[in-house]
């Protein structure tokens, strides 16, 4: 796909996939994958690795190398919202036309996916009026708070070292939840020492308060950043559960 912008990698699913099966909607399905990496890098196993899994279940995928430090908020979320808008508008030849979009983010990429699914922050509104939200959201051990048990590296890279509590709370995804959030799938491990499971629990609580449909799965064992968790015990089941969740929603 030669005309895609820098930082956007296209992974088409094989022909005859879920988008073509009888009984499913005519609109094609497309995943936008946001790897983790503390807003300082993009973890390959949470990018291409996820795209290959998605292709295996019949979903086309785009992996986005969103802006990292020294870029600051709102650069990453503005760029991701613009990408969702452009994908829906069919800006690039060869990609699905008017697709249903699921955004899948891990760790800091999960924070970005949550922000894209939430109402724009004041900082976003100051530079962009794009409010395109995905149709579904999948959050993998996400950072959802920059004030409650924060992941310091993500906060420093996103906002700059020494950001005030007010600046950090402005990007607490769990505080931005409204009733327009798309249905959401979350998973985490109770052993995660870098991004505590409370991040997913507080986000799920916010979704419940606003009546947003969600699936939440917490596995006992597993360190942070395990991606597809292949061969790592019960947490490996998350992708099977997510596949069933997507299928139940017509994907």
């Amino acid at each position: 796909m030669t005309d895609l912008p820098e930082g956007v990698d296209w992974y088409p699913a094989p022909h005859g996939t879920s988008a073509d099966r009888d009984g499913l909607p005519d609109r094609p399905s497309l995943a936008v994958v946001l790897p983790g990496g503390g807003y300082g890098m993009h973890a390959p196993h949470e990018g291409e690795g996820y795209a290959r899994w998605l292709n295996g279940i019949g979903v086309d995928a785009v992996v986005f190398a969103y802006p990292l430090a020294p870029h600051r908020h709102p650069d990453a979320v503005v760029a991701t919202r613009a990408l969702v808008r452009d994908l829906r508008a069919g800006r690039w030849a060869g990609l699905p036309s008017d697709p249903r979009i699921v955004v899948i983010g891990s760790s800091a990429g999960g924070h970005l996916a949550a922000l894209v699914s939430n109402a724009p922050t004041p900082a976003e509104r100051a530079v962009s009026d794009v409010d395109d939200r995905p149709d579904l959201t999948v959050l993998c051990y996400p950072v959802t708070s920059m004030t409650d048990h924060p992941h310091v590296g993500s906060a420093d890279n996103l906002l700059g070292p020494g950001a005030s509590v007010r600046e950090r709370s402005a990007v607490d995804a769990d505080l931005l939840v409204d009733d327009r959030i798309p249905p959401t799938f979350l998973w985490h491990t109770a052993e995660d020492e870098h991004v505590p499971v409370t991040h997913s629990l507080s986000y799920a609580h916010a979704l419940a308060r606003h009546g947003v449909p969600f699936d939440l799965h917490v596995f006992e064992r597993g360190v942070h950043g395990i991606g597809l968790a292949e061969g790592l015990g019960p947490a490996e089941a998350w992708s099977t559960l997510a596949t069933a969740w997507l299928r139940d929603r017509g994907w």
Side-chain angles (χ1 to χ4, degrees), residues 18-29:
S18 63
D20 306 313
R21 293 188 298 130
D22 291 341
L24 290 184
D26 292 333
R27 287 182 67 200
S29 303

Side-chain angles (χ1 to χ4, degrees), residues 73-74 111 115 121 123-124 143-146 155 158-159 165-176:
H73 180 70
H111 179 258
L115 290 185
T121 67
E124 289 175 66
V143 174
T144 65
S145 177
M146 295 295 180
L158 182 65
L159 301 170
V165 172
R166 181 176 181 178
E167 290 170 320
R168 287 186 279 123
S169 65
V171 291
D172 278 352
D174 53 347
L175 301 182
L176 294 169

Side-chain angles (χ1 to χ4, degrees), residues 32 34 64 66 75-85 112 116:
V32 175
L34 306 174
F64 184 36
Y66 52 86
D75 289 1
V77 67
V78 168
T80 307
R81 287 191 195 275
L83 176 62
V84 170
R85 175 200 58 197
L112 177 56
V116 170

Side-chain angles (χ1 to χ4, degrees), residues 1 8 12-13 41 50 54 59 78 118 134 170 176 178 214 226:
M1 198 61 57
V8 179
M41 60 166 285
Y50 283 16
L54 290 159
V59 177
V78 168
N118 275 290
L176 294 169
D178 61 23
F214 68 93
I226 55 177

Side-chain angles (χ1 to χ4, degrees), residues 1 17 28 37 82 131 136 142-143 173 221 231 236 245:
M1 198 61 57
T17 59
D131 188 12
L136 297 175
V143 174
R221 294 189 301 278
E236 184 177 6
W245 181 77

Side-chain angles (χ1 to χ4, degrees), residues 200-219:
S200 282
L201 296 177
S202 64
Y203 196 79
H205 185 213
L207 295 175
R209 288 202 319 270
H210 287 272
V212 177
F214 68 93
D215 263 26
L216 170 65
H217 301 273
V218 177
F219 302 95

